Amino acid sequence: MRVLVFSAHQYEENVLRGFAGDKHKLAFTPEKLGIDTVDLARGFDTISLFTSDDASAAVIQKLAEAGVQFIALRSVGFDHVDLEAAAAAGIRVANVPEYSPYSIAEHAVAMMLTVNRKIVEGRMLMNLQDFRVDSLTGFDVHGKTVGIIGTGKIGMAFAAIMKGFGTTILAYDPVENPEAKGLGVRYVTLTELLNNSDIVSIHCPLNAATKNLLTMKQFKQMKRNAMLINTARGGVINTSDLVEAIESGILRAACLDVYENEKGLFFEDHREDVLKDPLFARLRSFMNVLITGHQAFLTTEAIAGIAKVTIANVDYWQRQMRSPNEIVLNTQVTMK
Ligand code: NAD
């Protein structure tokens, strides 16, 4: 198969080539898919997309006109693809439903500890040769209550780590995971979870039901001094409400690997640019908000896992078989 890989990153090109071997001819472009770049797909019946790509209805239409028939996503999330438009255009889409849930769960924990134990401030003071520790007090995670929104693969990996910390774990998910019981996870309503958790971590997908799941109303329901972690998708949180909640002291801190308006920002070098995003500027200005640029998945194991399944999905397509990872409307979509 001739495959055009959009939003190709240096970290993945050789890994993808390795799994493709002689079976597929891969072409790479750092360009993001969008209405201005869709013509690059001409001549390829298969393309591969990342979360930063835009496969909205208008782009899908153009992809179909260009002859694209199969999209191999290099991500779990598929909120950047208009699946209805793809189905209508006869374009099939497959994702990577699982690679290393540990990569994201461990990053969430890393962020939580970094903010709680003021590691960034400690490093700054160390550089200044200011060895006082008065401003660096954190809290014991042990004995606290952790609320997990979404107990799929990543949520459960996070729960397993949190169990090791000696926490009480509450969860909110419309579909209960049978594995959760073994970890002592107790399912509650979203309100109960917010009312009682010292740390809330989001691990649900972004879809119509979860868009802006957390707004000021929900922040006000959270325990005073609670910490919020979001490694799922920025759109699950209303960011402008989050900024207000941080400013007014409703939340102790936030750890964000994703941001509602990250498209066109994250994964790109903007060192020479003046960023025109006042919301992001405010968010970045808080010492109690730690932001990373959608890097939670970035471990060697995860990169290999993504590449392997992406190429396996293309293999299925080449053999004119349906990959088990194909996203079929009204099944995976409503479940996820
Ligand atoms: P998953 O499908 O295994 O689990 C998602 C869980 O969310 C499911 O249990 C589902 O029932 C639950 N859910 C659905 N709607 C919900 C709702 N309204 N409220 C609460 N829970 C709900 O997916 P996963 O592999 O655990 O990944 C979760 C999300 O993490 C992905 O959709 C993706 O957006 C995000 N992600 C982020 C990164 C990153 O690098 N930051 C990497 C991979 C995935």
Side-chain angles (χ1 to χ4, degrees), residues 50-51 74-79 95-101 103-104 107 148-157 171-177 187 190 202-211 213 230-234 236 257-258 262 267 292-298 306 332-336:
F50 191 56
T51 52
R74 306 194 304 289
S75 60
V76 175
F78 43 82
D79 45 280
N95 71 339
V96 180
E98 178 169 5
Y99 39 96
S100 164
S103 61
I104 299 104
H107 189 80
I148 302 179
I149 301 176
T151 50
K153 292 171 285 291
I154 298 170
M156 288 308 296
Y172 168 69
D173 192 318
V175 183
E176 295 193 6
N177 188 331
Y187 282 97
L190 181 58
I202 305 174
H203 299 289
C204 63
L206 175 64
N207 56 32
T210 60
K211 176 134 182 76
L213 186 69
N230 187 9
T231 55
R233 284 291 181 270
V236 178
D257 183 55
V258 285
E262 70 177 54
F267 304 112
T292 50
H294 207 140
Q295 69 177 69
F297 70 99
L298 209 60
I306 294 168
Q332 228 180 327
V333 180
T334 46
M335 280 166 59
K336 287 204 115 200

Side-chain angles (χ1 to χ4, degrees), residues 42 46 63 71 206 235 279-280 298 319:
R42 208 162 280 285
T46 302
L63 283 174
I71 298 177
L206 175 64
L279 189 62
F280 190 52
L298 209 60
R319 297 199 302 269

Side-chain angles (χ1 to χ4, degrees), residues 3 52 78 84 87 97 102 106 175 209 242 254 290 295 315 321 333:
V3 184
S52 44
F78 43 82
E84 275 182 29
Y102 314 107
E106 289 172 12
V175 183
L242 174 65
L290 177 66
Q295 69 177 69
D315 290 345
M321 291 166 72
V333 180

